[in-house]
Amino acid sequence: MVSIAEPVAKSASRYRFILDQRGVLGSVMVAPAILYVLLLVGLPFLLAVYYSVSAYTIYDPTWRFVGLSNFRQIVNNSVFQETLANTFLFTFGSQFLGLVLGKFGALLLMRPFPGRKIVRALIILPWAVPIALATVAWEWMFDSLYSVINWTLISLGIITRSEAPNWLGNPHLAMLCVIVVNAWRFFPFAVVIFLAGMTSIPQDVIDAATVDGAGFWRRNYQIVLPMILPIVAVGLIFGIVFTFTDLSIVFLLTNGGPVGATSVLGFEGFQVGIVSGDVSHGAAISLFMLPVLFFVVIGMLRFIRRREI
Amino acid sequence: MNTPSRVTRRRLLKDTGLALLAAGSAPVLSTPFISRAMADTKTLSIVQWSHFVPAYDKWFDNFARDWGTKNHIEVTVDHIPVADVAARAAAEASAGSGHDLFGWNGAGGAHLYRKFLVDVTDLVESVEKKYGKITVIGRQIGYNQDDKTWSAFPDYYINFPVMYRKSLWDGIGVVPDTWDNVRIGGAKLKQKGNPVGISLGHSNDPNTTWRGLLWSYGGAFQDESGKHVVLDSKETVEAVKFVAALYKEAMTEDVLSWSDASNNQYIDSGVSSLIINPISAYRTAQQLNKKVADDIFVMKPPKGPVRQIMGGAAEFYGIWKFAKNKEAALEFLKYYADNWVDAFKASSGYNNPIFANIVPKPMPLLSDDPTSTPHDKLSVLQTSDEWSAVPGYPGPAWPATDEIYNNFIVCDMMAKAATGAMTAEQAVKWAAQQCEGIFDKWLHRA
């Protein structure tokens, strides 16, 4: 008779016992991410909130509490009011343009054509190119002396030198320019979002609509668009948040000019808080974005929940 | 046969833990060796803007390195774009860590960061004793009137003379030596396709030039004490009306979008008849377009009804209180001051002296520049300390004047009237209100 040795049970360490618990291990794994968010997002945010209600400047780094007086002062300033209006125009103008271009780009890229894969890859370029580099190129295109756009229009005989638009010198055109550059930057993201949404629609639905007599526009606006709206809304949330808080394009292209026509909250906050050293007012200007973004994001998330299929 | 071992949760944790432990302990184990090596080498780190004359940066880097070699100090010099200087200073002050020696350009710095900077009064006074009295513009940089101390070492200032195309102005028989002549002659030359080019955009050049015009008309945005805003005056309204006329008659709307490089390109390309700019525009023309460069002449800023004056940009070095090697920074500045003539030559006469005799007159290059025709073309720049002032003039530079500068309020006041967005009176009221708001804010905190 063969006797089988009994396995000797190892004594389980307390350490092993704790980590073998699913809940504990999960918490341990997630902890670094939470810690990261708390330290690098939460703490600076709380610091910014406190700066905005204090008298803190680089000249006099005091933490004296001043209540909402910083907010009162900036709200009563006509330059701030203009800046706030510019920020909305810049954000929603560039998002709208980016979405329209993204939709058409996605429609074109859905159709098979030779080199489609290369075009799909190339279309990501505006998103991948560093913004400082891209803005230098745009600055050259809009330059008052060497504008490539004006040079082309003049060469083609469409306009004369005296009729050439002063892209960055005219307040309305300058705003249009920063909107166009931001839309150009956002457009690849919009294309990807639309492509992802459109490819996820079952072909049966489109075929059924076609059989029922729905034409191109009807299919697009009554079938495709409502079905992909939740995913487009998520993309739009990202676009709005990033654009509303952005200062790079304005800083690099117009420096807020001409006559403050393109100044946006991010740029104004940077100029006042960092360049001029008035940290408390700079923080107050920057925090003004928070309630706006909060309501926009909540509104859009509620909309997405209702539209979920 | 070896079977691939299964990765269990326990094994993953164990292996990861060991890897992290090894990575974490590496610096601890190597510290004694590294710290000994570091103790043998002292360091000095310097940060400053990328100079408009690239040859100056090359000279400075070699100069600093040579000094370091002689003194067994490892010197590093970082050059950053001029637009990044303010943000870098804020980052270093907030972190309480960064370079030892910080070189500021333009408005801000010495006053704003006063509490973060080492008092360099002894250094400035010893250099003054050796190289002569500090000029008026020099005293406006880094000097604290309240307690008579220096929070920064005043290095140099950049002047803004008139640069004009002599052949064009001779052709119409007008000398652009007064603001009125600039307008009258500029209008004639604009008709011929050679407008005046003074920026009305958001950058340093217009901030400096339009202040000069404002002062030459008897206006200013603060009084001598620096406690009161005095912008809303008859003189300011006249100055603004003049700018509106100058814009309409002698300039094109291009100027509304210009950066600091645009007016340089405008005259170097042969289009413009007159700009107001440091001599970098002329030096660039010498390299790009010799014919135009030979035709560009330099003169003092135009006279206004009250005075002849122009804004200048201040350059200064501060030593952070948190600097790791304050002594080396002080020693370096002393040595630098003793070799300031070389710095002046390396900048091609772009850096203007703060101390009366640090570059004895006749100054090299400016009095006799072998690259210019005639050789004394730049000689008028030797007197620029008589007609240059920093942004706070006639009062001191302080955080409020810096914020007015950074918010482009004087530029926008001029541009609003020039483009017809506001009348001259409305533009002045708007600007005065903005200045009042900034003064109120800073006076309560200063």
Side-chain angles (χ1 to χ4, degrees), chain B residues 314-397:
Chain B
E315 312 293 317
F316 43 91
Y317 282 112
I319 303 169
W320 293 122
K321 278 183 181 162
F322 51 75
K324 288 180 189 133
N325 205 344
K326 296 186 197 89
E327 295 75 23
L330 276 167
E331 284 306 313
F332 174 76
L333 286 178
K334 262 185 220 166
Y335 181 75
Y336 172 66
D338 287 338
N339 291 276
W340 208 87
V341 175
D342 293 337
F344 176 77
K345 285 181 191 165
S347 75
S348 313
Y350 184 90
N351 299 3
N352 293 282
I354 295 289
F355 300 91
N357 307 318
I358 201 162
V359 182
K361 285 180 188 167
M363 293 181 186
L365 289 175
L366 296 188
S367 62
D368 181 16
D369 180 18
T371 65
S372 294
T373 317
H375 286 196
D376 64 347
K377 189 187 258 187
L378 304 174
S379 64
V380 70
L381 299 179
Q382 295 178 94
T383 64
S384 69
D385 58 310
E386 294 164 14
W387 43 263
S388 297
V390 293
Y393 178 86

Side-chain angles (χ1 to χ4, degrees), chain B residues 127-144:
Chain B
V127 176
E128 190 175 23
K129 206 175 274 177
K130 211 168 174 182
Y131 295 108
K133 208 168 155 38
I134 294 174
T135 55
V136 175
I137 185 168
R139 196 157 284 278
Q140 290 167 324
I141 305 168
Y143 183 65
N144 306 306

Side-chain angles (χ1 to χ4, degrees), chain A residues 60-182:
Chain A
D60 184 16
T62 169
W63 292 94
R64 187 163 51 85
F65 181 74
V66 295
L68 295 175
S69 72
N70 294 333
F71 287 96
R72 259 197 305 277
Q73 282 167 11
I74 60 165
V75 167
N76 289 330
N77 189 331
S78 61
V79 171
F80 175 78
Q81 291 159 11
E82 197 186 332
T83 302
L84 190 63
N86 288 343
T87 312
F88 275 100
L89 190 57
F90 172 60
T91 304
F92 291 101
S94 58
Q95 293 310 298
F96 175 74
L97 192 60
L99 283 180
V100 171
L101 289 172
K103 177 79 170 80
F104 281 109
L107 273 175
L108 290 173
L109 289 174
M110 286 284 284
R111 291 161 186 265
F113 61 87
R116 185 171 69 157
K117 282 184 180 169
I118 297 170
V119 175
R120 275 189 178 187
L122 286 177
I123 220 148
I124 299 295
L125 270 181
W127 209 24
V129 173
I131 186 63
L133 214 64
T135 313
V136 170
W138 279 102
E139 197 179 358
W140 177 52
M141 286 199 253
F142 294 133
D143 189 88
S144 64
L145 295 174
Y146 303 109
S147 166
V148 180
I149 300 168
N150 288 357
W151 181 84
T152 310
L153 293 174
I154 293 165
S155 299
L156 293 173
I158 298 168
I159 55 168
T160 62
R161 179 74 187 95
S162 59
E163 292 166 348
N166 184 12
W167 294 107
L168 300 176
N170 177 300
H172 304 297
L173 287 179
M175 178 50 89
L176 183 69
C177 289
V178 290
I179 285 174
V180 166
V181 176
N182 199 51

Side-chain angles (χ1 to χ4, degrees), chain B residues 101-380:
Chain B
L101 203 55
F102 199 101
W104 270 276
N105 169 294
H111 307 92
L112 187 61
Y113 290 92
R114 190 171 164 183
K115 289 187 179 161
F116 293 88
L117 295 173
V118 170
D119 183 339
V120 289
T121 310
D122 289 344
L123 169 73
V124 177
E125 284 175 354
S126 71
V127 176
E128 190 175 23
K129 206 175 274 177
K130 211 168 174 182
Y131 295 108
K133 208 168 155 38
I134 294 174
T135 55
V136 175
I137 185 168
R139 196 157 284 278
Q140 290 167 324
I141 305 168
Y143 183 65
N144 306 306
Q145 281 187 348
D146 50 4
D147 61 359
K148 314 264 183 280
T149 58
W150 289 86
S151 45
F153 177 79
D155 184 9
Y156 63 93
Y157 68 94
I158 304 166
N159 55 23
F160 281 69
V162 167
M163 285 182 195
Y164 68 105
R165 295 276 307 281
K166 193 168 188 312
S167 67
L168 299 175
W169 286 84
D170 285 350
I172 55 163
V174 180
V175 181
D177 56 353
T178 66
W179 278 111
D180 267 340
N181 281 355
V182 171
R183 182 181 60 81
I184 294 162
K188 287 180 186 166
L189 289 170
K190 184 185 174 184
Q191 300 291 325
K192 295 184 174 192
N194 301 109
V196 167
I198 304 173
S199 173
L200 272 166
H202 277 189
S203 66
N204 287 314
D205 286 358
N207 247 336
T208 310
T209 312
W210 298 127
R211 270 172 176 71
L213 178 127
L214 177 68
W215 300 329
S216 71
Y217 268 73
F221 62 83
Q222 68 169 0
D223 63 5
E224 282 180 29
S225 71
K227 303 276 184 217
H228 307 104
V229 174
V230 293
L231 191 64
D232 194 358
S233 68
K234 203 175 71 189
E235 289 81 8
T236 307
V237 172
E238 286 307 310
V240 174
K241 278 181 182 167
F242 172 82
V243 175
L246 180 70
Y247 170 75
K248 284 190 187 93
E249 294 169 27
M251 300 206 284
T252 65
E253 62 175 31
D254 293 354
V255 298
L256 290 161
S257 66
W258 278 4
S259 68
D260 284 339
S262 305
N263 58 348
N264 299 28
Q265 291 163 354
Y266 206 42
I267 198 160
D268 293 349
S269 64
V271 177
S272 183
S273 56
L274 181 147
I275 66 167
I276 293 178
N277 202 74
I279 57 164
S280 50
Y282 170 66
R283 294 298 190 203
T284 312
Q286 284 184 305
Q287 289 161 13
L288 300 178
N289 196 340
K290 184 85 172 66
K291 202 176 152 196
V292 169
D294 285 345
D295 194 31
I296 295 176
F297 277 69
V298 180
M299 62 161 55
K300 286 181 186 179
K303 272 184 210 156
V306 177
R307 56 177 79 90
Q308 187 171 23
I309 193 167
M310 184 47 63
E315 312 293 317
F316 43 91
Y317 282 112
I319 303 169
W320 293 122
K321 278 183 181 162
F322 51 75
K324 288 180 189 133
N325 205 344
K326 296 186 197 89
E327 295 75 23
L330 276 167
E331 284 306 313
F332 174 76
L333 286 178
K334 262 185 220 166
Y335 181 75
Y336 172 66
D338 287 338
N339 291 276
W340 208 87
V341 175
D342 293 337
F344 176 77
K345 285 181 191 165
S347 75
S348 313
Y350 184 90
N351 299 3
N352 293 282
I354 295 289
F355 300 91
N357 307 318
I358 201 162
V359 182
K361 285 180 188 167
M363 293 181 186
L365 289 175
L366 296 188
S367 62
D368 181 16
D369 180 18
T371 65
S372 294
T373 317
H375 286 196
D376 64 347
K377 189 187 258 187
L378 304 174
S379 64
V380 70

Side-chain angles (χ1 to χ4, degrees), chain B residues 32-159:
Chain B
F33 308 104
I34 293 169
S35 61
R36 197 174 305 145
M38 285 177 81
D40 292 341
T41 318
K42 279 187 184 169
T43 58
L44 174 69
S45 56
I46 306 169
V47 63
Q48 58 195 35
W49 69 301
S50 296
H51 203 283
F52 280 136
V53 180
Y56 177 78
D57 282 346
K58 270 189 196 158
W59 172 86
F60 188 89
D61 293 353
N62 290 332
F63 174 79
R65 201 172 40 240
D66 289 348
W67 175 82
T69 310
K70 275 180 213 159
N71 294 283
H72 309 290
I73 292 173
E74 197 181 305
V75 183
T76 52
V77 185
D78 293 320
H79 300 277
I80 56 174
V82 64
D84 294 354
V85 171
R88 176 64 68 98
E92 294 200 359
S94 305
S97 160
H99 295 82
D100 299 305
L101 203 55
F102 199 101
W104 270 276
N105 169 294
H111 307 92
L112 187 61
Y113 290 92
R114 190 171 164 183
K115 289 187 179 161
F116 293 88
L117 295 173
V118 170
D119 183 339
V120 289
T121 310
D122 289 344
L123 169 73
V124 177
E125 284 175 354
S126 71
V127 176
E128 190 175 23
K129 206 175 274 177
K130 211 168 174 182
Y131 295 108
K133 208 168 155 38
I134 294 174
T135 55
V136 175
I137 185 168
R139 196 157 284 278
Q140 290 167 324
I141 305 168
Y143 183 65
N144 306 306
Q145 281 187 348
D146 50 4
D147 61 359
K148 314 264 183 280
T149 58
W150 289 86
S151 45
F153 177 79
D155 184 9
Y156 63 93
Y157 68 94
I158 304 166
N159 55 23

